[in-house]
Amino acid sequence: MRIKMKITALAISILVISGCSNANSQPDEEIDHSMMNDEEMDHSMMDMDDNMMEGHMSHDEVVSLNDSTGENELNIPSELERDDEEGIVYTVRAQEGKTELFDGIETTTYGYNGAFLGPMLRLEKGETVKIRTINELDENTTFHWHGLEVAAEADGGPHDVIKSGEEKIIEFEVGQEAATLWFHPHPEGKTSEQVYNGLAGLIYIEDENGKSLGLPSDYGINDIPLIFQDKTFDDEKQLNYSAAMNDDGTIGETLLINGTLNPKLTVNKEKVRLRLLNGSNARNFTFKLNTGDSFVQVATDGGFLNEPVTLNEVTLTPSERAEIIVDFSQLNTENDLALINEDGSILLPFEVSDQDGVVSEIPEKMNNFSLTEEEMNLPVTKEIELFGMMDQVTINGKKFDPERIDFTQQQGVTEVWEIYNKPDMMGGMIHPFHIHGTQFKIISRDGVEPPENERGWKDSISIKPDERVKIAIQFKHKGVYMFHCHILEHEDNGMMGQIKVE
């Protein structure tokens, strides 16, 4: 009881201090948090229980994933067929269902147009798209198109609630270049649970440049989507989110890829394009080959890199994507071959057939992405401070308020934002930062230009404790958009703000 009273008192003091700060500041002005943060996060003055302590520290010593046994062939999400009715291009339904993840056992799951996860939606640059979204769940949801540059009314943020049994039609023109995007729910306070239960699907945008590159593009054969999600199942093999939930980000020991338990991927002796999506609630992945061989990254969140980048590993925080190409015709397949995590956990074993595949080349030039001198020299106009842990997370000292606009920006005008991850007394943790409705450019990390494989369009970015990242950002459409930490529990706990594009 004494501990709970102290925690309650701390929460009240934070609210009081935050309220004073809010009353004396303007949305676009920098906020002085020095007094608040000293009082708010002085953990030496707090009696925190073991669960709170373990919740935060679990991200410093993350539980390892169970190795994939490779006994199940990887499921490839189906490509959603286009409608031929009233100009509707796609119909997407949020549903509840039963999925046999474990032999002979049905697990209750959520999915789009099916029991678990969702199909792939293929869009073409320049086309006008109408999507009918239908909520067949027994609770409210939204349909957020992560990475898609659309007007705010079509973005599917927490304001765009679709009640159980209701539907909404959105319409937009696809104006951005070829990329791998995704869609998932975004209801206030419920995003983490709904994604955890299975609501996630893929979007492929295609354009003429992408088609001309000659990269592997045979869907499900040498162009493979990989949605990585970690879960914890209870004794009944159910996704009991309330039991597994951690306020600092829910992390599990069981990996599902495309909803497949213990997956393997059978490939031919050819170059294979792997579209990696970290679709987990909170876990970071560092992907590498168990042989130590290199691979080539060709795309970031929002499009192709200018040139292919050779890597031995790539790290993705929640919601980040990367397209990599592995040349299985050049690898030694006599020994076991697998995609592994940083700690050596076997994520995806590969089985290489004796069959030769398509001969393809990776072009030296893929895109004309550029960061101009003008953009690099623009002054910082928006300062974002990410801070806190568990349910005490804030942006610029504030929790999300749907009635508050934190920033404004003019449509079509490029500004520079600086995002700072302020460490707490325990050192802090990585925050993946996502901005809705746009793709941005990374100018620098702690004053140094970003690594080669981040020199492309991004909508989510990993920010380490005490790191400052500058980005150049422009919004092509008007409306109110979210920006937030993509550790989904942090988002649900209020680590989110709003920008109004006018």
Side-chain angles (χ1 to χ4, degrees):
M1 180 63 72
R2 184 175 64 87
I3 293 173
K4 290 183 178 179
M5 290 179 63
K6 288 196 174 186
I7 293 172
T8 302
L10 171 70
I12 294 172
S13 69
I14 292 169
L15 288 172
V16 172
I17 295 167
S18 177
C20 295
S21 173
N22 294 349
N24 296 308
S25 62
Q26 298 298 318
D28 286 352
E29 293 179 352
E30 181 180 359
I31 302 168
D32 182 2
H33 303 299
S34 57
M35 175 181 174
M36 176 172 62
N37 288 337
D38 287 343
E39 295 184 19
E40 178 181 352
M41 300 308 295
D42 183 0
H43 299 293
S44 64
M45 300 296 290
M46 294 170 59
D47 289 333
M48 299 198 306
D49 65 17
D50 291 341
N51 289 333
M52 292 183 68
M53 189 71 74
E54 289 174 3
H56 187 67
M57 294 304 288
S58 68
H59 291 270
D60 297 323
E61 296 181 8
V62 177
V63 59
S64 291
L65 289 162
N66 298 330
D67 291 338
S68 172
T69 62
E71 60 194 82
N72 299 312
E73 188 64 33
L74 179 75
N75 174 62
I76 303 296
S78 62
E79 181 174 349
L80 187 61
E81 292 185 7
R82 293 196 165 208
D83 290 4
D84 188 18
E85 169 205 354
E86 303 172 1
I88 300 296
V89 176
Y90 288 118
T91 295
V92 181
R93 305 170 184 269
Q95 303 173 316
E96 181 178 318
K98 301 284 188 180
T99 305
E100 189 176 323
L101 299 171
F102 300 85
D103 289 342
I105 300 174
E106 288 191 330
T107 300
T108 299
T109 52
Y110 283 3
Y112 292 115
N113 295 41
F116 194 38
L117 297 182
M120 182 268 282
L121 279 59
R122 195 183 297 270
L123 307 178
E124 189 82 25
K125 182 179 180 181
E127 72 173 330
T128 298
V129 176
K130 280 187 180 180
I131 300 179
R132 176 191 286 118
T133 56
I134 303 175
N135 181 9
E136 297 181 358
L137 303 173
D138 290 330
E139 60 181 314
N140 293 345
T141 193
T142 80
F143 293 74
H144 170 51
W145 313 98
H146 185 118
L148 199 59
E149 297 176 339
V150 292
E153 61 188 17
D155 177 68
H159 297 294
D160 298 323
V161 170
I162 301 179
K163 295 180 180 180
S164 177
E166 295 186 348
E167 64 179 68
K168 176 183 178 180
I169 294 176
I170 62 169
E171 182 176 355
F172 57 92
E173 182 176 339
V174 182
Q176 62 203 97
E177 62 189 56
T180 304
L181 313 178
W182 65 306
F183 60 101
H184 60 80
H186 210 289
E188 184 177 357
K190 293 285 287 185
T191 299
S192 55
E193 183 172 3
Q194 290 190 1
V195 172
Y196 193 81
N197 285 339
L199 287 183
L202 291 159
I203 302 170
Y204 280 19
I205 295 181
E206 294 187 340
D207 64 9
E208 291 305 315
N209 174 57
K211 293 176 183 177
S212 72
L213 297 177
L215 296 173
S217 58
D218 191 353
Y219 184 72
I221 304 299
N222 59 19
D223 182 353
I224 310 293
L226 298 175
I227 305 172
F228 293 84
Q229 298 177 311
D230 57 324
K231 313 287 185 185
T232 291
F233 293 89
D234 65 17
D235 292 341
E236 305 297 321
K237 303 300 183 187
Q238 299 299 311
L239 290 169
N240 187 343
Y241 179 75
S242 60
M245 194 274 282
N246 183 326
D247 272 325
D248 237 0
T250 300
I251 286 178
E253 74 291 333
T254 302
L255 176 68
L256 300 179
I257 305 180
N258 298 350
T260 308
L261 179 69
N262 290 319
K264 72 173 179 182
L265 176 62
T266 301
V267 296
N268 297 324
K269 290 182 177 179
E270 62 179 330
K271 293 184 179 72
V272 176
R273 180 179 183 179
L274 303 177
R275 304 194 190 213
L276 310 175
L277 161 62
N278 184 344
S280 65
N281 281 38
R283 181 185 289 271
N284 304 326
F285 288 91
T286 296
F287 301 100
K288 58 175 71 174
L289 294 172
N290 64 329
T291 58
D293 287 294
S294 63
F295 50 79
V296 174
Q297 183 173 343
V298 295
T300 53
D301 297 341
F304 291 113
L305 294 162
N306 284 350
E307 300 172 354
V309 178
T310 301
L311 301 167
N312 290 103
E313 63 181 46
V314 62
T315 298
L316 299 179
T317 55
S319 83
E320 287 189 293
R321 285 92 64 211
E323 295 183 30
I324 66 172
I325 293 179
V326 179
D327 190 348
F328 289 96
S329 69
Q330 299 299 314
L331 297 180
N332 181 353
T333 59
E334 291 183 3
N335 298 318
D336 290 342
L337 182 62
L339 196 66
I340 62 172
N341 202 7
E342 185 175 27
D343 61 0
S345 302
I346 299 173
L347 306 177
L348 182 62
F350 297 109
E351 186 172 303
V352 184
S353 74
D354 293 331
Q355 183 176 341
D356 292 330
V358 176
V359 177
S360 60
E361 298 295 329
I362 303 173
E364 294 182 3
K365 177 71 174 177
M366 298 183 296
N367 207 347
N368 60 356
F369 174 89
S370 66
L371 181 64
T372 67
E373 287 289 333
E374 180 183 3
E375 289 169 333
M376 289 189 288
N377 292 324
L378 286 172
V380 173
T381 52
K382 304 280 192 294
E383 294 186 346
I384 307 286
E385 183 183 277
L386 311 176
F387 185 69
M389 57 178 277
M390 304 207 57
D391 60 353
Q392 299 302 321
V393 286
T394 60
I395 295 181
N396 288 355
K398 304 173 186 177
K399 285 186 173 291
F400 175 64
D401 179 350
E403 303 301 320
R404 184 187 71 237
I405 298 298
D406 298 278
F407 295 112
T408 60
Q409 188 160 323
Q410 296 301 305
Q411 178 187 19
V413 174
T414 299
E415 293 192 26
V416 172
W417 296 17
E418 183 178 80
I419 305 106
Y420 175 52
N421 183 355
K422 182 170 182 175
D424 56 35
M425 293 294 288
M426 296 170 68
M429 59 190 291
I430 292 172
H431 291 291
F433 186 70
H434 170 53
I435 306 172
H436 285 213
T438 187
Q439 295 285 333
F440 54 78
K441 305 173 183 179
I442 304 174
I443 297 174
S444 64
R445 288 182 174 275
D446 286 336
V448 178
E449 65 179 341
E452 290 183 349
N453 68 316
E454 285 193 326
R455 297 175 195 173
W457 292 110
K458 294 282 291 174
D459 56 57
S460 301
I461 183 172
S462 167
I463 305 178
K464 298 176 182 177
D466 207 28
E467 185 176 32
R468 292 181 186 272
V469 177
K470 288 184 181 180
I471 62 172
I473 179 170
Q474 178 188 124
F475 292 88
K476 297 178 181 177
H477 302 276
K478 292 183 178 181
V480 176
Y481 296 97
M482 303 295 111
F483 54 88
H484 59 87
C485 175
H486 219 284
I487 293 175
L488 296 183
E489 285 75 17
H490 284 182
E491 171 191 324
D492 283 345
N493 286 335
M495 202 171 194
M496 182 163 61
Q498 299 186 110
I499 181 163
K500 185 176 183 181
V501 181
E502 300 175 329

